């Protein structure tokens, strides 16, 4: 469809490109602080500087002399994050779900940037049930999928933003004559659904690797989602289902970042500003909290 | 009700005693075609009137001798002297200047620009439309309208942005029936076939009360009625399409017909190329349209018309391939994109009395957009065959049934009263996605259709107050009912002109408008994904008011000059949200839009037009500002609308060197479109991977539409060479669009060159030559 629609304009546009000068005023450089933190990893903050739009984008200047602090507003304690390498500042502590934190990044010669976020509570997966009698065969490639029902309770009265993903733990292929490889890797497994209550274009944008949605349609209710999972994940020996509860900031940032990514190169799209909650600078300070269910997969 | 109606009709008879009415039709002598807007003037008293869109006129004068002059631009006038002693019916046939030798033809006073109360309107002679240069030789009505001051467009598109309004705010009427999507070939051409059209009028402001339902403009197009005298045909062949029109009497002076068709042959032209290149998927595209009209005179007082239009565009790909994957596998994939309008109208004109004319219209209008995809795979096993198929389709559209009853009542030369009522049943189908597969039943998503009723009533009077002042006062009332929600509005309209001297008048107008339906459209091309949706409880009807002030002057009887300034305020606008793209079909329409927007537009327009003589054309200039404000966009701050253009100039003319050759040219200039560009970039983190070092830049944009594209300008030219044949006349036309191949900006993107970034501008059309051959008999 998209190709069909773009057929005429693209043909017409071919060969009609011309580099032009547009007088874009140089904006003052600001500090960028990025922390998208998960509840199961230690605090990290990436600190860099913004750049003029017409500079090459591949590298951003690292800031190695920043004073980075994270204050737990619930416990009234402050954590210093020393510089680790490149842009990164890190500590050896993890965030605590339900606590509110304030980020403070001070760099000589720049405005100090701050931001506050709350680590969301974990939402438990109540049930993950396979139904091997409910199968679907995808046309054309004859791929078979089986139903997986996932149930959880949505807390009432608050806007929760979820993300569901399924992972498989693989053992790499063994080839004759090579040393036995006992390592395992974890990768996403594609999962599909046709539940309109959890559909959003932004939330299903990652090729069915994960699904993000809010509880607008089922606030305070028990929610069961039926996913179809392809059965051709032959070397998987363990499956891990992950339900993440994202903070509102996290969700807004992910949605708008995806919108901007999608709009780039589309002559018919409206430009999209990416959400930022960093006062005095750019970037994001947001978190998500996981709950996990896993099970072993019998050898096929 | 009947009593009130009777009293209204009787009052003027009591007031204007000893007066009689002259009424009848003004037509073309050669074809019997109604001469819309023909002037009827009593030279003795300088009182006059004009023929309506059906050619009917009515003028009431004192019992006395009269000296009536019937005239129409491009026709030889007729003068009648007699003593008016009773109500009199006079039908007049005027002779076109083309049928005369060396006749000086002038319009008379009544229809001159400084005389009418209507301001902000342009009548475009259809012969001018046909004579001006055309992209790929395809004469296009909307492209000519885009050359008018106050009207803006995007490169190549037929979309119109009138006085800061959006493309959805234009009421396009073909024989009184709304046309919902006027685009062919992704908006590069319009659906209106100039060969089938008699007259077109553009109204940008000072809307008379009889019009309603849109905020920014009315484009009122009348099809030809069909030649009542003899068989007449015309047609043309150009680079991409051929068309043919035939009209004539079924029964002379009683019943006539008109049929007109057009089809592109792009699909036929590219087939050999595709075969030569051995392209696996065969693409194709065509559009066609077909107009037909029947016109029957029942008797002197009753006449009926039946008109129909149907047209469609189809783009498609056909793929078929056999491979061997152990067994033979046959894959087929067909996809198509099709859209089109079908409209039909039945009209019954009735002269209820010398002063009262009625027109009953029932119409049907449907716009459909359809995407279909069909994929199948057949696997040939040694002992069996396995076949699987997946079919999906997406359908959206709008369908209207309507009935309309209009009256025109002319109790005296100083009054021209119009009143009427209408009812429209809309059925919106904002999009249904259906798919099926071998192992699943048919599934349909989003197939909710929405029914709505739109009712309206109006009354207006064109009142002459003394010799200098003329006022058109009216009111348009409308109501809209959808999903249990009702909206209504009363919209006052007022236009006035004050005659400073016989050649100069001052005009002013005020109009409020309400629009109950919205169009979700892309900003540039007129693509078929444009979606009409109703007002809902969440999306309120759009409203606007507009005031305009201007002067109109006739200079040396040939040149019409108007200078106007206007201010327009709009509320409840909708706009795509940040990041939304009409190409993204996964989003539902209501999730893509920001609502409750406000808009303002103001500016000045200068228009100089010469309609008669060997040299005809116009110069237009617009100075304008147009801005928008949405809470969800640009942090709630006002920003320039994309089509905010400070300066807009158009020059268009045709010059008839001889009976055998003419030349035409059009030059346009416009300030560059307002665009949004990134001003800063910064490093992003990657979702779900706080330990990742992977980076991609995030762009920080400046204020919405705070930058400008480069200015737009181009020159189009065309030469036409006529040859007289035994059977009629033929014409070769050669021309070029964008003669000096200006790379006009269409889209700007950020590209990387080495270690730096640049803005790259993409253009659509370089110089495009055209050649066409046309004929008429």
């Amino acid at each position: 469809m998209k190709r069909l629609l773009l057929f005429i304009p693209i043909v017409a546009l071919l060969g009609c490109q011309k580099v032009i000068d547009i007088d874009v005023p140089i904006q003052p450089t600001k500090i960028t602080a990025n922390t998208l933190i998960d509840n199961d990893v230690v605090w990290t903050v990436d600190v860099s500087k913004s750049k003029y739009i017409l500079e090459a984008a591949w590298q951003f200047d690292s800031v190695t002399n920043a004073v980075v602090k994270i204050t737990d507003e619930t416990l009234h304690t402050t954590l210093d994050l020393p510089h680790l390498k490149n842009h990164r500042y890190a500590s050896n502590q993890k965030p605590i779900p339900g606590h509110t934190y304030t980020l403070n990044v001070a760099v000589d010669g720049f405005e100090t940037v701050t931001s506050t976020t709350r680590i969301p509570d974990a939402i438990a997966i109540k049930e993950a049930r396979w139904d091997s009698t409910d199968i679907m065969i995808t046309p054309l490639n004859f791929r078979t999928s089986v139903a997986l029902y996932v149930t959880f309770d949505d807390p009432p009265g608050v806007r929760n933003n979820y993300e569901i993903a399924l992972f498989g733990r693989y053992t790499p292929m063994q080839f004759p004559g090579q040393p036995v490889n006992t390592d395992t890797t974890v990768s996403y497994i594609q999962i599909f659904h046709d539940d309109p209550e959890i559909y959003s274009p932004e939330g299903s944008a990652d090729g069915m690797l994960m699904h993000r949605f809010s509880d607008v349609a089922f606030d305070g209710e028990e929610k069961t989602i039926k996913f179809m999972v392809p059965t051709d994940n032959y070397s998987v020996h363990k499956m891990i289902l992950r339900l993440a509860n994202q903070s509102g900031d996290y969700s807004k940032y992910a949605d708008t970042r995806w919108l901007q990514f999608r709009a780039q190169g589309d002559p018919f799209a409206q430009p999209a500003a990416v959400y930022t909650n960093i006062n005095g600078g750019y970037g994001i300070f947001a978190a998500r909290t996981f709950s996990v269910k896993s099970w072993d997969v019998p050898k096929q | 009700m009947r009593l009130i109606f009777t009293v209204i009709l009787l009052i003027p008879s009591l007031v204007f005693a000893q007066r009689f009415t002259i009424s009848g039709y003004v037509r073309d002598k050669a074809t019997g075609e109604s001469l819309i807007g023909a002037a009827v003037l009593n030279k003795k008293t300088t009182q006059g009137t004009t023929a309506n869109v059906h050619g009917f006129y009515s003028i009431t004068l004192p019992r006395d001798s009269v000296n009536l002059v019937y005239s129409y631009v491009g026709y030889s006038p007729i003068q009648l002297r007699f003593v008016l002693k009773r109500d009199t019916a006079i039908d007049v046939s005027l002779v076109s200047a083309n049928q005369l030798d060396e006749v000086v033809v002038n319009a008379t006073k009544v229809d001159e620009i400084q005389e009418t109360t209507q301001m902000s309107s342009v009548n475009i002679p259809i012969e001018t439309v046909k004579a001006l240069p055309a992209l790929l030789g395809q004469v296009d009505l909307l492209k000519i309208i885009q050359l008018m001051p106050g009207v803006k467009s995007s490169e190549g598109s037929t979309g119109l942005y009138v006085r800061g309004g959006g493309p959805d705010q234009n009421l396009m009427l073909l024989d009184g029936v709304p046309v919902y999507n006027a685009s062919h070939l992704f908006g590069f051409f319009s659906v209106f076939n100039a060969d089938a059209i008699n007259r077109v009028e553009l109204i940008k402001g000072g809307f008379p009360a009889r019009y309603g339902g849109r905020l920014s403009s009315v484009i009122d197009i009348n099809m030809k009625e069909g030649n009542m005298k003899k068989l007449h045909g015309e047609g043309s062949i150009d680079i991409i399409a051929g068309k043919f029109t035939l009209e004539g009497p079924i029964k002379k002076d009683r019943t006539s017909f008109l049929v007109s068709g057009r089809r592109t042959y792009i699909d036929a032209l590219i087939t050999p190329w595709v075969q030569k290149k051995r392209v696996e998927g065969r693409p194709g595209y065509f559009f066609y349209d077909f107009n037909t009209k029947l016109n029957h005179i029942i008797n002197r007082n009753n006449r009926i018309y039946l008109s129909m239009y149907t047209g469609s565009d189809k783009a498609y790909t056909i793929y078929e391939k056999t491979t061997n994957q152990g067994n033979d596998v046959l894959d087929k994939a067909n996809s198509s994109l099709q859209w089109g309008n079908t409209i039909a109208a039945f009209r019954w004109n009735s002269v209820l009395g010398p002063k009262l004319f009625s027109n009953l219209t029932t119409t049907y209008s449907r716009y459909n957009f359809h995407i279909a995809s069909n994929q199948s795979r057949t696997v040939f096993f040694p002992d069996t065959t396995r076949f699987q198929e997946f079919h999906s389709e997406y359908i959206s559209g709008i369908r209207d049934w309507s009935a309309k009853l209009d009256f025109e009542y002319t109790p005296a030369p100083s009054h021209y009263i119009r009143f009427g009522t209408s009812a429209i049943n809309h059925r919106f189908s904002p999009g249904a996605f259906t798919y099926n597969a071998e192992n699943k039943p048919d599934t349909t998503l989003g197939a909710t259709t929405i029914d709505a009723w739109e009712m309206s009533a109006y009354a207006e009077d064109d009142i002459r107050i003394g010799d200098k002042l003329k006022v058109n006062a009216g009111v348009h009332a409308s109501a809209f009912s959808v999903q249990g929600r009702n909206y209504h509005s009363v919209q006052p309209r007022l236009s006035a002109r004050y005659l400073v001297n016989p050649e100069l008048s001052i005009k002013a107008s005020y109009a409020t408008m309400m629009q109950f339906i919205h169009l979700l459209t892309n900003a540039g091309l007129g693509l078929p994904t444009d979606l009409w949706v109703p007002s809902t409880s969440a999306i309120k009807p759009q409203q606007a008011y507009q005031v305009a002030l201007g002067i109109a002057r006739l200079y040396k009887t040939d040149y019409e000059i108007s200078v106007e300034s206007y201010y327009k305020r709009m509320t409840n606008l909708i706009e795509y949200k940040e990041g939304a793209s009409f190409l993204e079909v996964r989003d539902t329409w209501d999730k893509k839009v920001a609502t409750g927007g406000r808009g303002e537009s103001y500016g000045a327009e200068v228009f100089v037009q010469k309609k008669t003589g060997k040299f005809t054309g116009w110069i237009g200039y617009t100075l304008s500002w147009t801005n928008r404000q949405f809470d969800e966009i640009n942090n709630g701050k006002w920003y320039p609308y994309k089509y905010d253009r400070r300066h807009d100039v158009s020059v268009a003319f045709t010059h008839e060197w001889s009976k055998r050759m003419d030349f035409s040219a059009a030059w346009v200039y416009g300030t560059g479109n307002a665009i949004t560009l990134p001003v800063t970039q910064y490093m992003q983190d990657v979702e779900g991977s706080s330990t990742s070092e992977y980076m991609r830049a995030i762009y920080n944009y400046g204020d919405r539409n705070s930058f400008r594209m480069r200015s737009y300008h181009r020159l189009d030219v065309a030469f036409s060479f006529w040859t007289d044949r035994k059977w009629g006349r033929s014409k070769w036309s050669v021309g070029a669009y964008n003669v000096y191949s200006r790379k006009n900006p269409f889209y700007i993107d950020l590209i990387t060159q080495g270690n730096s970034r640049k803005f790259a501008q993409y253009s659509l059309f370089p110089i495009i030559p055209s050649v066409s051959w046309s004929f008429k008999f």
Side-chain angles (χ1 to χ4, degrees), chain A residues 204-216:
Chain A
S204 299
D206 297 303
M208 307 302 165
L209 298 180
M210 66 175 82
H211 298 268
R212 291 188 295 107
F213 52 92
S214 80
D215 62 355
V216 170

Side-chain angles (χ1 to χ4, degrees), chain B residues 173-450:
Chain B
L173 296 171
L174 181 62
D175 269 353
V177 192
V179 177
Y180 283 103
N181 187 310
S183 294
H184 272 319
L185 192 62
F186 301 93
F188 294 139
F189 301 109
S190 78
V191 299
F192 305 113
N193 179 351
D195 287 351
I197 290 167
N198 180 27
R199 169 188 173 269
V200 57
E201 181 179 20
L202 165 71
I203 304 174
K204 301 173 286 184
F207 302 100
R210 59 186 177 276
Y211 294 113
R214 300 291 189 279
L215 298 192
S216 289
S217 80
V218 177
I219 297 153
D220 199 355
I221 300 164
N222 295 97
M223 279 174 64
K224 286 178 182 171
E225 293 172 349
N227 197 315
M228 279 280 185
K229 307 288 182 183
K230 62 177 184 179
L231 199 65
H232 167 76
E234 61 185 301
S236 69
I237 297 168
D238 57 47
I239 294 172
I240 62 162
K243 59 185 176 182
F244 181 64
T245 301
L246 190 67
E247 57 179 320
I250 296 173
K251 187 175 180 184
K252 195 173 178 185
D253 292 327
R254 195 82 175 173
T255 309
S256 69
F257 75 95
L258 178 142
V259 290
S260 184
R262 173 171 61 159
R263 192 193 188 280
T264 57
Y265 24 74
I266 302 168
D267 47 344
L269 293 176
I270 65 168
T271 299
W273 177 83
V274 168
Q275 286 170 346
K276 191 177 175 185
K277 294 282 180 185
R278 296 183 180 176
V279 177
E280 283 178 354
R282 182 164 64 85
Y285 170 83
F286 67 87
F287 75 73
Y288 72 88
D289 46 42
F290 184 73
N291 296 74
T292 182
K293 192 163 184 174
L294 281 173
N295 168 16
H296 176 63
I297 299 172
I298 300 170
N299 54 42
R300 198 186 168 278
N301 291 333
N302 290 282
R303 186 169 184 162
I304 55 172
Y305 301 89
L306 184 63
S307 54
M308 197 199 80
Y309 163 86
T310 184
S312 184
D313 288 55
K314 185 172 183 179
Y316 59 89
T317 58
I318 300 170
Y319 172 89
E320 189 172 315
K321 191 175 184 183
T322 303
T323 53
N324 190 294
Q325 301 169 8
N327 300 296
D328 281 346
V329 177
L330 172 63
D331 284 308
K332 288 184 180 178
N334 302 328
S335 58
S336 67
L337 173 68
Q338 191 167 6
W339 69 98
N341 297 276
T342 298
I343 67 172
F346 170 76
R347 285 193 292 167
W348 176 18
N349 291 172
S350 192
V351 180
L352 301 176
K355 299 174 185 175
L356 186 63
F357 181 89
S358 75
N359 179 43
L360 172 69
T361 311
T362 57
T363 71
Y364 171 81
S365 180
R366 191 189 72 189
Y367 170 67
N368 265 358
F369 167 59
H370 181 212
I371 306 173
S373 172
N374 196 74
Q375 298 173 64
S376 69
R377 167 169 282 192
T378 311
V379 184
F380 300 95
F381 296 103
D383 51 348
T384 185
T385 299
R386 186 170 179 182
F387 175 77
Q388 279 211 320
E389 187 177 32
F390 179 77
H391 177 78
S392 63
E393 60 183 310
Y394 174 87
I395 300 169
S396 69
I398 181 171
R399 187 274 294 142
D400 282 2
W401 281 105
S402 80
K404 193 176 174 203
L405 184 58
D406 301 289
F407 294 94
E408 294 178 20
Y409 179 52
T410 45
S414 55
H415 289 271
Y416 190 159
I417 298 168
R418 290 179 168 101
F419 55 98
T421 184
S422 72
I424 306 171
N425 174 250
H426 300 286
R427 172 163 289 178
F428 301 89
S429 307
F433 179 70
T434 305
Y435 66 93
N436 63 33
E438 192 176 273
N439 62 333
K440 289 196 79 173
D442 284 9
T443 305
T444 302
L445 302 172
T448 310
T449 57
I450 304 167

